Amino acid sequence: MSARESGVVSGPESGGEAVVSGPQRSAAAGGWLARRDATAKLLAAFLVTAALMTSLEPVVALTVIGALLAALPLTGIAPAVLWRRGWPLLASAAGVFAFAVLFGERHSPVLAHVAGLDIRRDAVGYALRLLAVALPGIVVFATIDPTDLADSLVAHLRVSPRFAIGALAALRLAPLLAEEYRLIRLARRARGTRAGPFSTLFGLLVAAIRRGIRLATAMEARGFDRAGPRTIARETRFGWPDGLVVVAGVAIAITVIVLKFAYA
Amino acid sequence: MGSVEFRGFGWRHAGRKAWAVRGFDLRIEHGERVLLQGASGAGKSTLLAALAGLLAEDSGEQEGEVLVDGRPAREARAGTAMVFQDPQTQLVMRRAGDDVAFGLENRGVPRAEIWPAVDAALAAVGFPYGRDRDTAALSGGEQQRLAIAGAIALRPGLLLLDEPTANLDPEGARLVRTAVAKALLDLDATMVLVEHRVEEALALVDRAVVIGEHPDAVWAPGAALPARKAAAAPGGPLLRAQGLVLPHTGAVVDEEVLAGQALAVEGPNGAGKTTLALLLGGLTRPAGGRVAATAELAGRDAARPPHRWRAARLAGRIGSVFQNPEHQFVTGTVREELALGGASPAAVDELLARLYLDKLALANPFTLSGGEQRRLSVATALAAAPRVLVLDEPTFGQDLRTWRELVTLLADLRDEGRALVLVTHDPQLVDSIGDRRLELTR
Amino acid sequence: MQTRWRTVDIVVAAVIAVAFAAVFYAWNNLWEALNGFALPWRAAIYGVWLIPAVLGPLVVRKPGAGLFVELVAAVISAVMGSAWGLSVLVSGLVQGMGGEFGFAATGYRRFGLVNAVIGGALAGTGAALMDLGVLPYLPPMTTGQRWTYAILVIVSSAVIAGAGSWALQRALSRTGVLDRFPSGRERVAV
């Protein structure tokens, strides 16, 4: 997956300077938002999401969806990427809407009457809110690079480096495990049996644990479990553009609350 | 710096009855370059792990001592670096420079000193790319060179390499050996290298140490290898590849797989050997061209391509042996594995005996050693009595004794009238039993 | 019992999370897209998604394993492009805590079937509470529908995530792959 997402990576090269600096944040999607600190992005998305949870009013959800779509160019996410990641969301919202109209509760006000069915406010509100809540998450995570995330969590949220880097290292095995999963399924066919899902999952778990142990051994051999402070080779700055992201999140959250009371 | 001594050293892994190593004595002086050889299971990896201080006290039982620079190895870890066999499962970070920096970060080296050391290490191994290169986009040989860079960035006094070229094609192996030689020029270190195939490794070392009870199982230059090319003329074709397209390289393959013949498929990693093996094995759908079975192999099913056959029919005609035997294990005991295809108990017993697996009949397949697993995976492919066998890197990581056994077995199978397709970059295998060669290029 | 996590504990716990996140990724999008239509079915097999919360502690046997495995799986899901973005983190947290309590209740000394089932049930309870009370992904349901959903989820979690993880860990142990862990030492010496 890292191969799929890797694009141009920014960062000053050394080139004869007296002080050799390391790479700054990588730019997973190449946009302004991609270069912002991961914790800032998480915080902003979390604030917006939490605010949205307090209201079922369709207008509120629509506002947020509209604002995010309008700001899409700023995030550097191509609409195609958004579709690829988000289409299950639309399908799910449609499913929720259908269930609510056909079987759901019956006490919110009716907004419209279509083809003999009552379209109630809650049905619309639930479907739209589902989209509005998930959208910031998609946007944020499409622009977060795992290495940057680990660095940011360690630097700003005091997450234990052993756990963050350990998880990051395990993540590197994901494409390998995907390939092993494919081979395990093919191997079942070669044996003359159909691949039961549990059998394949079991084979994958064994392969995954084996690889994990080898990786852990290699990390230990490089001093990973040494007691004592650990430096981070990459810089993780939190500058005013990152603060801007948090402020934007706060602003949207406040707008949501205000709108909620305006329409109550 | 970097002198090594084993005094009556023994180690037993927790949960095992047998000792991995026992009563081992060895002395290596500072600056020596030593090749460590031995049969599979002789304890080479355990000895290296002991030198690296990786055998934790709670993970087993120790006898005797292992000393680095006069101190117990567990305490001397800061001056030791190790490179492992699997290139992809020892890289930690996504970017090449970050990975080399990883060891330095762990030691608390100040940030300002890290990057010059990283650049120096990358240059020392001749790494062809910059710091930002995605490690997933590297070939196996490049990944191993990166691992070596990571090891020498810490300027160790003791450098350990556990079969660093085992997973690589000959070109990658050569690049790694060159990188090691180059790196050692600048580093005043002792080196202990474990390798199975020795000819090329000998140039890097001052002496070779053979351990274990089976010195004849060790590859040595000039060892006599079985010469088992087909004596009889091959039979009729069983499988045909017609205009078969290999997606990654665009190469087109036109070949026939004949009964009583061993076809060796060679080429560098990335040239599509495994893809071809999967296609001939009827496991994946061709992107272009076709794989066709003859009536002799498939009877009325010959009209349909193998990837459309039902799994049970496929196994009875074309057996596949994967590079990693563990991918193919489905049951909980060796006997059940062999019985899976519906083979009768008598047939199962015969297979067990033929492949020296009878003592292991009730063992869990995952607990077998590498050589035993390889034999088991060949046995399971044989259980359905197919006429065609496709094997992907069958001699991978074998010591000489198990190698000889496997080669003799394969030759016998071929002489019985089966067709073998051997995907391999083992030149000795091809010389021993390869009747025809197909070379794939990148 | 040693409470400090070794490197191998951290990496293998994370790798279990990666393996499940990868498998879920392939299934999730399709399954969640059917949300609404397939609700009862989804509730009946809900336990599958909670296996990591119980399997983690069973394999690694260190405090925090349930939480760590679920959080890592959630972060990976989110980064890989889960359609649910941020909320999987909250779900993961709550589910992980449920699994965790199943073993914390006996001081992390017992890792048998009973603890596993309890851990699974608690994780399922947490998940049901989140789905019904906090998360926005379910349609508005009647009280009866909500109770049905909750019970299905909890039972499914107790059985699949609880007993299922226990059986899974024992099967893994028999392969010898867990020999570096206390959970593998139960195996008879080979």
Side-chain angles (χ1 to χ4, degrees):
Chain A
M1 55 164 261
S2 48
R4 172 158 60 92
E5 286 182 6
S6 67
V8 172
V9 181
S10 65
E13 295 293 290
S14 56
E17 297 163 22
V19 174
V20 179
S21 60
Q24 262 79 48
R25 219 154 283 131
S26 73
W32 177 85
L33 194 64
R35 290 193 293 276
R36 301 282 66 79
D37 181 73
T39 309
K41 290 187 273 203
L42 279 179
L43 190 57
F46 178 69
L47 287 171
V48 171
T49 307
L52 273 168
M53 292 308 307
T54 62
S55 166
L56 269 173
E57 185 53 55
V59 173
V60 173
L62 269 176
T63 313
V64 173
I65 295 174
L68 278 171
L69 289 177
L72 204 61
L74 198 65
T75 67
I77 301 174
V81 171
L82 191 63
W83 174 255
R84 186 163 46 91
R85 293 193 176 211
W87 71 260
L89 210 52
L90 274 179
S92 185
V96 161
F97 182 69
F99 183 97
V101 166
L102 294 170
F103 310 117
E105 53 70 51
R106 297 260 177 266
H107 52 257
S108 68
V110 176
L111 294 181
H113 199 82
V114 172
L117 293 168
D118 289 328
I119 313 289
R120 295 178 184 273
R121 185 205 67 173
D122 276 4
V124 176
Y126 267 85
L128 283 179
R129 189 176 67 167
L130 189 157
L131 289 172
V133 162
L135 210 52
I138 299 183
V139 165
V140 154
F141 280 108
T143 63
I144 285 186
D145 170 76
T147 308
D148 295 340
L149 179 61
D151 285 342
S152 177
L153 290 175
V154 169
H156 302 308
L157 290 183
R158 300 193 166 282
V159 169
S160 156
R162 293 179 69 226
F163 283 88
I165 307 275
L168 185 64
L171 183 58
R172 286 213 44 70
L173 297 179
L176 300 177
L177 293 182
E179 178 65 11
E180 294 214 54
Y181 184 69
R182 185 181 85 104
L183 287 175
I184 290 171
R185 279 190 48 228
L186 293 179
R188 297 281 184 285
R189 172 173 159 76
R191 293 293 309 276
T193 61
R194 301 235 49 224
F198 290 118
S199 166
T200 322
L201 176 69
F202 187 77
L204 179 66
L205 272 180
V206 174
I209 295 175
R210 281 224 198 278
R211 283 200 186 260
I213 293 176
R214 265 186 269 151
L215 179 60
T217 308
M219 290 170 75
E220 257 188 74
R222 298 175 72 181
F224 187 62
D225 55 340
R226 176 182 157 273
R230 192 180 181 280
T231 45
I232 304 182
R234 297 159 296 281
E235 292 184 61
T236 41
R237 283 195 292 245
F238 196 101
W240 69 262
D242 307 304
L244 198 60
V245 168
V246 179
V247 166
V250 170
I252 298 178
I254 292 180
T255 310
V256 164
I257 309 263
V258 166
L259 278 176
K260 164 186 145 138
F261 284 117
Y263 276 87
Chain B
M1 274 239 310
S3 69
V4 163
E5 188 167 357
F6 288 96
R7 285 192 207 145
F9 179 73
W11 181 264
R12 173 160 64 172
H13 292 287
R16 301 285 169 90
K17 284 197 197 124
W19 287 77
V21 177
R22 205 150 198 201
F24 187 73
D25 295 293
L26 178 65
R27 205 184 147 71
I28 301 178
E29 303 298 338
H30 158 62
E32 268 198 273
R33 315 269 159 92
V34 172
L35 173 69
L36 198 60
Q37 286 186 276
S40 294
K44 306 184 295 294
S45 290
T46 306
L47 290 174
L48 277 194
L51 283 178
L54 291 175
L55 296 176
E57 273 148 358
D58 65 349
S59 71
E61 202 185 321
Q62 180 174 334
E63 276 180 353
E65 296 179 297
V66 51
L67 304 172
V68 174
D69 289 330
R71 284 154 56 212
R74 286 195 198 102
E75 290 166 33
R77 283 177 60 189
T80 308
M82 187 154 165
V83 174
F84 296 83
Q85 175 182 340
D86 185 354
Q88 290 173 318
T89 315
Q90 65 183 317
L91 295 179
V92 178
M93 306 293 271
R94 185 173 74 88
R95 283 185 299 240
D98 289 343
D99 193 80
V100 177
F102 178 70
L104 296 162
E105 288 175 324
N106 292 336
R107 303 246 194 265
V109 172
R111 184 185 292 159
E113 294 172 27
I114 288 185
W115 294 107
V118 168
D119 291 333
L122 289 175
V125 299
F127 189 70
Y129 306 104
R131 279 192 222 143
D132 289 334
R133 182 74 173 187
D134 189 335
T135 52
L138 298 172
S139 72
E142 288 160 353
Q143 286 175 334
Q144 283 298 60
R145 282 195 279 170
L146 190 61
I148 294 168
I152 65 173
L154 297 158
R155 314 221 39 95
L158 176 61
L159 181 62
L160 307 169
L161 300 117
D162 191 353
E163 299 196 51
T165 63
N167 288 34
L168 306 178
D169 59 23
E171 176 61 19
R174 192 185 62 80
L175 285 172
V176 166
R177 279 188 292 269
T178 314
V180 171
K182 198 156 174 277
L184 287 175
L185 289 176
D186 187 41
L187 203 62
D188 181 26
T190 313
M191 180 184 79
V192 180
L193 167 69
V194 171
E195 275 280 26
H196 271 300
R197 304 301 180 90
V198 298
E199 280 88 6
E200 301 87 356
L202 285 178
L204 292 169
V205 300
D206 304 317
R207 68 168 156 137
V209 171
V210 176
I211 67 173
E213 296 160 353
H214 300 279
D216 59 310
V218 164
W219 287 89
L225 301 176
R228 291 286 306 268
K229 303 238 196 219
L238 297 174
L239 265 188
R240 288 197 181 97
Q242 294 164 328
L244 189 60
V245 174
L246 301 180
H248 290 294
T249 60
V252 177
V253 174
D254 283 283
E255 268 297 340
E256 285 186 333
V257 175
L258 307 176
Q261 185 181 76
L263 171 67
V265 178
E266 299 175 276
N269 283 357
K273 303 198 299 294
T274 299
T275 311
L276 182 59
L278 292 175
L279 286 166
L280 290 176
L283 299 173
T284 52
R285 201 161 56 104
R290 48 199 277 256
V291 175
T294 60
E296 191 185 336
L297 177 66
R300 280 189 312 193
D301 260 343
R304 291 166 66 213
H307 73 266
R308 301 284 309 273
W309 296 346
R310 273 184 26 226
R313 296 243 176 93
L314 177 66
R317 295 176 187 141
I318 308 176
S320 288
V321 177
F322 280 44
Q323 210 176 110
N324 181 349
E326 290 195 339
H327 287 161
Q328 298 185 261
F329 296 152
V330 185
T331 67
T333 68
V334 168
R335 179 175 284 277
E336 281 170 47
E337 284 289 324
L338 294 176
L340 187 67
S344 67
V348 169
D349 285 333
E350 197 197 311
L351 270 176
L352 283 171
R354 184 172 191 182
L355 286 144
Y356 309 110
L357 293 169
D358 21 12
K359 291 204 191 67
L360 298 166
L362 294 175
N364 188 299
F366 290 95
T367 60
L368 268 46
S369 75
E372 291 161 349
Q373 282 186 341
R374 174 71 59 200
R375 290 208 297 281
L376 177 58
S377 71
V378 173
T380 55
L382 286 176
R387 290 202 63 194
V388 178
L389 262 188
V390 180
L391 303 108
D392 195 347
E393 301 290 355
T395 57
F396 180 67
Q398 308 270 309
D399 67 25
L400 187 55
R401 187 178 52 164
T402 47
W403 191 93
R404 279 202 184 103
E405 281 169 4
L406 193 60
V407 166
T408 308
L409 169 68
L410 292 176
D412 289 343
L413 292 172
R414 189 255 339 262
D415 292 339
E416 283 166 15
R418 285 179 231 259
L420 297 183
V421 179
L422 303 164
V423 170
T424 182
H425 41 61
D426 179 352
Q428 280 102 349
L429 175 66
V430 179
D431 288 340
S432 283
I433 67 171
D435 302 316
R436 206 161 92 247
R437 302 166 71 147
L438 170 62
E439 184 95 25
L440 297 179
T441 50
R442 232 202 305 256
Chain C
M1 181 204 62
Q2 208 188 20
T3 50
R4 185 174 194 260
W5 285 57
R6 304 167 298 171
T7 306
V8 67
D9 294 321
I10 298 176
V11 175
V12 167
V15 142
I16 291 175
V18 169
F20 276 98
V23 170
F24 290 162
Y25 181 68
W27 283 95
N28 262 357
N29 282 347
L30 181 63
W31 193 246
E32 298 282 357
L34 296 176
N35 191 23
F37 293 112
L39 259 186
W41 299 113
R42 186 165 151 234
I45 68 162
Y46 206 97
V48 174
W49 277 271
L50 299 180
I51 292 178
V54 181
L55 188 62
L58 283 176
V59 167
V60 166
R61 307 205 173 177
K62 295 259 156 78
L67 208 51
F68 180 62
V69 174
E70 276 286 329
L71 272 179
V72 173
V75 170
I76 292 174
S77 283
V79 172
M80 273 170 105
S82 155
W84 316 112
L86 218 57
S87 62
V88 299
L89 291 182
V90 183
S91 298
L93 186 71
V94 172
Q95 286 159 197
M97 284 200 316
E100 199 64 41
F101 285 149
F103 300 95
T106 51
Y108 297 105
R109 278 190 297 267
R110 315 267 295 266
F111 293 92
L113 179 59
V114 171
N115 288 86
V117 168
I118 293 177
L122 286 175
T125 309
L129 284 174
M130 291 295 296
D131 283 351
L132 291 170
V134 178
L135 295 179
Y137 302 122
L138 292 180
M141 301 194 284
T142 66
T143 312
Q145 289 166 337
R146 285 165 184 263
W147 274 107
T148 313
Y149 182 83
I151 292 174
L152 275 177
V153 165
I154 295 175
V155 169
S156 166
S157 306
V159 170
I160 301 179
S165 298
W166 175 83
L168 191 52
Q169 180 257 308
R170 286 168 67 91
L172 285 171
S173 175
R174 282 194 294 272
T175 66
V177 80
L178 297 181
D179 277 353
R180 296 281 309 267
F181 300 92
S183 49
R185 307 274 171 79
E186 292 161 357
R187 187 165 78 93
V188 173
V190 175

